[in-house]
Amino acid sequence: MRLLGVLARVEALKAVKRPAFWVTVGVFAAFNTIANFAPGSGSERAGFPDAWRGIIEPAINLGPVFLAALMILLFAPEFRWRTARQNVIDGLSKEQFYWAKVLLLAGLVALFFVTSVVIGMLPLVLDPGGGGGAFVEPMDLNYLLGFLVALLLWGTAGLMISALVRAAGAGLGLLFLYFICEQIVTALLSSRWSALERMFDFLPGQLFQTITDSAMYYPEVLARTNAARAERGQDLLVYPELWIPLVAALAYVVLFLGLAYVNMRRRDL
Amino acid sequence: MAVIETSGLTKRFPAVLAVDRVSLTVEQGQVFGFLGPNGSGKTTTIGMLMGIIKPTAGTFRLFGAGAPRDLLAARARVGATLETPNFYPYLSGRDNLRIAAAIKGIGKARIEECLEIVGLRGRGKHRFRTYSLGMKQRLALAATMLNDPELIVLDEPANGLDPKGMKEVRDIIRLLADRGKTIFLSSHLLWEVERTCTHVSIVRKGRVVGTGTVAEIVGGEISAVVRAEDDEALFAALKAFPEATSVRASDEGLVVALASDDLAALNRYLAGQGIYVSHLARRHRSLEDAFMDLTGEDGDLGQASLTEFVS
């Protein structure tokens, strides 16, 4: 427990003194605030529990991307500055250094989650709506869970890329290039071989889109979306059972953490 | 008691054999110089001792500990810095030490003490990236001293320093040695090592080519500096002199190593060859000479070799 405390303290000190930390969190918070206070967004909320979707929706797409970028910005430079090496020389094992980064990730996930919820709640605090019934419905909890898993998916991807690439610029480039390429490749191949489409649903980028889509959690949103699609003559959206994409995303989380761990153990610093 | 013991320590990178079966022992209280040209495997060897590089073969012990878990505990008794000072550029010197201190389990008071020793207390609040190279090296020394280690490992601590900075670093090393610390000092500044160290190991292309006390390494070889008008003729004559074991060029003239110290015999021989010397003097062998003999390198390791050898 003492070691965990030391690792957490060290990572917190490294993070909060880094300008990139405040810039990234600040920009994310600003986007989130704008989205929550934009005309129309607040007025649609009648209070809890109906407000939850509006609270999570602006953050669920942006938050994970900002988190992954921040994870790379905080972790990858440790190799260029050779501070990863110095931390080990000072007394950490390579495994302990890795766990310090996992703790950092956990802290950042908590920070992004709490920041999003707090900013999302602000319009309701300033202008309480009517609402009624339970504070939170099961589908809201599922959406919150989806947000958490999405943060973990991108955050662990950022951690793994940092450990593998060991350079912030190249790491950020690789992260975004992968997701862009995945979109292009799956779109091209799916149009030719529709049988591949279901398989592609389990690629990280596609999973991210699935678990961040409010239509998967809220039947009325799905109904509205499908009605619009039907009008346009498009195929109706059909989502698998909720647990399937969430478990698949968590499997990627474990895979990314595992690859980062093995890499940290095996490679010299 | 052996503080560092290596046996057949080897590191092979895909393209190069960086460390080749290095075996050495550093006893408690020694100021041990680890010498070698750039790229001879010094930093890689230290990296293996510090747990940041995995050995390909061989074993090592720190304070008698060899198993991974024991080594982690043994490293708590070590203070080390490798190559350039490695710190967070956006943090102040003091905050950088706070990180090192937290990892080592050291309190704040000791941070101030170490900043004081290296003369950085007044600059402790400034960001590391604003420090001069000398200040960075001193901060690295402060970080190594935080846990009052029994063994201090310094890799090229005088790199890039001006003469004043070098003297400061040397004074700190001496201060630590006087306090009974074991110091493992990697350097290619031979005169620095000769002034500071009690023992040395010399490595070349990853292999230890000489080890012992400084006196043993320098040895009792007799040599003389000779100058004459015609350098080429002098060089040829010295090569042919039966008592000469080696001849090489230096800034002072040609340096001839001799089997006996009869300089009069050498003078007679050269006169017999029609060479009248303008300078002939006995020469004390330095660590630099020993280093050149053992490694085939020039003393200024950054420049091309000007030395010729006759065995």
Side-chain angles (χ1 to χ4, degrees):
Chain A
M1 278 312 284
R2 192 199 144 270
L3 179 66
L4 276 182
V6 167
L7 298 181
R9 210 166 67 241
V10 165
E11 290 305 316
L13 178 62
K14 290 179 194 173
V16 298
K17 297 262 179 169
R18 184 93 194 272
F21 172 80
W22 293 108
V23 170
T24 312
V25 173
V27 171
F28 169 66
F31 275 132
N32 220 355
T33 307
I34 291 165
N36 276 285
F37 283 88
S41 59
S43 60
E44 281 179 4
R45 292 178 201 156
F48 293 112
D50 299 338
W52 280 110
R53 187 169 67 81
I55 289 171
I56 304 162
E57 211 157 30
I60 199 167
N61 286 302
L62 276 182
V65 180
F66 273 82
L67 173 70
L70 183 55
M71 192 65 213
I72 291 172
L73 287 172
L74 292 179
F75 183 12
E78 295 241 23
F79 297 101
R80 185 166 57 85
W81 296 331
R82 295 185 168 182
T83 44
R85 160 194 275 207
Q86 191 61 45
N87 282 182
V88 170
I89 290 170
D90 286 341
L92 295 182
S93 67
K94 286 202 275 187
E95 292 81 0
Q96 286 167 347
F97 182 79
Y98 163 83
W99 287 113
K101 296 305 167 194
V102 174
L103 276 180
L104 171 67
L105 173 64
L108 293 180
V109 166
L111 176 72
F112 274 71
F113 190 82
V114 170
T115 304
S116 304
V117 171
V118 167
I119 291 174
M121 281 181 164
L122 278 178
L124 288 162
V125 173
L126 298 172
D127 179 21
F135 177 67
V136 60
E137 296 284 350
M139 54 194 174
D140 302 317
L141 287 175
N142 287 338
Y143 200 25
L144 283 167
L145 180 66
F147 180 31
L148 200 61
V149 173
L151 285 171
L152 284 171
L153 180 66
W154 276 73
T156 50
L159 187 143
M160 178 192 69
I161 287 171
S162 300
L164 295 178
V165 178
R166 298 185 169 195
L172 287 170
L174 181 68
L175 179 77
F176 294 116
L177 200 64
Y178 171 79
F179 280 96
I180 292 166
C181 288
E182 192 196 290
Q183 298 297 322
I184 296 167
V185 170
T186 52
L188 284 174
L189 294 181
S190 299
S191 63
R192 289 185 180 218
W193 295 285
S194 57
L196 289 174
E197 204 169 348
R198 287 194 69 78
M199 214 170 71
F200 288 152
D201 285 346
F202 289 94
L203 289 174
Q206 305 300 310
L207 270 176
F208 174 69
Q209 285 185 349
T210 305
I211 63 176
T212 55
D213 191 346
S214 59
M216 189 174 81
Y217 303 91
Y218 296 95
E220 79 272 13
V221 178
L222 182 62
R224 227 173 26 235
T225 309
N226 275 340
R229 290 176 71 93
E231 266 182 39
R232 292 196 296 268
Q234 291 175 317
D235 290 341
L236 299 186
L237 290 179
V238 180
Y239 281 105
E241 281 193 62
L242 180 68
W243 66 270
I244 296 173
L246 289 181
V247 167
L250 285 174
Y252 274 114
V253 168
V254 173
L255 176 72
F256 293 160
L257 286 174
L259 284 173
Y261 181 76
V262 170
N263 187 271
M264 279 298 298
R265 276 199 65 157
R266 286 196 177 166
R267 274 172 72 180
D268 295 331
L269 287 173
Chain B
M1 178 196 149
V3 173
I4 300 173
E5 266 181 295
T6 74
S7 173
L9 202 58
T10 301
K11 180 66 186 183
R12 181 183 288 281
F13 293 113
V16 67
L17 180 61
V19 176
D20 186 9
R21 289 165 288 163
V22 165
S23 299
L24 49 89
T25 304
V26 179
E27 299 287 340
Q28 196 168 27
Q30 288 181 352
V31 180
F32 195 97
F34 195 47
L35 310 180
N38 291 331
S40 58
K42 303 188 297 291
T43 301
T44 307
T45 303
I46 296 172
M48 288 189 277
L49 297 176
M50 294 298 107
I52 58 170
I53 296 173
K54 267 192 178 173
T56 309
T59 58
F60 67 91
R61 288 174 172 275
L62 288 177
F63 298 101
R69 188 172 285 271
D70 298 337
L71 274 171
L72 198 61
R75 284 193 189 107
R77 300 161 71 183
V78 181
T81 182
L82 248 72
E83 292 179 297
T84 52
N86 305 318
F87 292 105
Y88 298 89
Y90 61 92
L91 290 181
S92 67
R94 186 171 281 112
D95 280 340
N96 269 297
L97 292 191
R98 276 175 68 196
I99 287 177
I103 292 170
K104 292 167 189 247
I106 307 299
K108 281 182 185 170
R110 180 67 184 159
I111 294 174
E112 298 308 317
E113 215 176 297
C114 290
L115 282 172
E116 184 74 51
I117 292 171
V118 299
L120 281 179
R121 192 145 187 199
R123 291 293 305 269
K125 61 174 186 276
H126 294 120
R127 287 185 180 189
F128 176 73
R129 69 158 67 98
T130 66
Y131 284 13
S132 68
L133 185 55
M135 290 164 71
K136 288 176 178 174
Q137 293 281 22
R138 281 189 278 156
L139 188 70
L141 279 171
T144 61
M145 289 188 283
L146 275 173
N147 53 335
D148 196 18
E150 293 163 61
L151 167 65
I152 295 169
V153 179
L154 301 170
D155 187 17
E156 304 288 2
N159 240 5
L161 296 183
D162 57 19
K164 185 170 169 279
M166 281 186 193
K167 187 182 178 305
E168 284 170 0
V169 168
R170 195 168 60 237
D171 288 346
I172 292 170
I173 292 170
R174 282 199 181 133
L175 178 78
L176 295 169
D178 289 345
R179 289 180 180 181
K181 310 291 182 196
T182 307
I183 295 171
F184 189 83
L185 175 70
S186 151
S187 180
H188 59 222
L189 295 173
L190 304 175
W191 58 275
E192 273 296 323
V193 170
E194 194 168 2
R195 283 174 172 204
T196 317
C197 295
T198 57
H199 294 72
V200 289
S201 257
I202 297 176
V203 283
R204 180 177 185 261
K205 292 181 179 169
R207 299 196 71 170
V208 173
V209 290
T211 191
T213 63
V214 173
E216 282 167 356
I217 289 291
V218 170
E221 187 191 82
I222 303 147
S223 62
V225 180
V226 192
R227 288 199 295 265
E229 209 163 273
D230 185 347
D231 273 348
E232 280 183 28
L234 176 64
F235 187 78
L238 287 173
K239 275 171 73 178
F241 182 49
E243 294 288 301
T245 56
S246 74
V247 184
R248 62 182 174 79
S250 81
D251 292 341
E252 307 160 82
L254 292 178
V255 177
V256 55
L258 299 163
S260 75
D261 67 347
D262 189 354
L263 295 194
L266 172 63
N267 199 13
R268 272 197 306 277
Y269 164 78
L270 290 173
Q273 302 294 309
I275 297 168
Y276 298 99
V277 299
S278 59
H279 179 93
L280 173 62
R282 197 181 308 280
R283 186 176 186 276
H284 280 292
R285 198 164 182 261
S286 66
L287 186 59
E288 184 177 313
D289 298 322
F291 181 89
M292 286 190 287
D293 288 348
L294 288 166
T295 64
E297 294 277 347
D298 185 40
D300 181 354
L301 303 170
Q303 294 175 15
S305 174
L306 298 170
T307 312
E308 287 187 69
F309 286 90
V310 177
S311 298

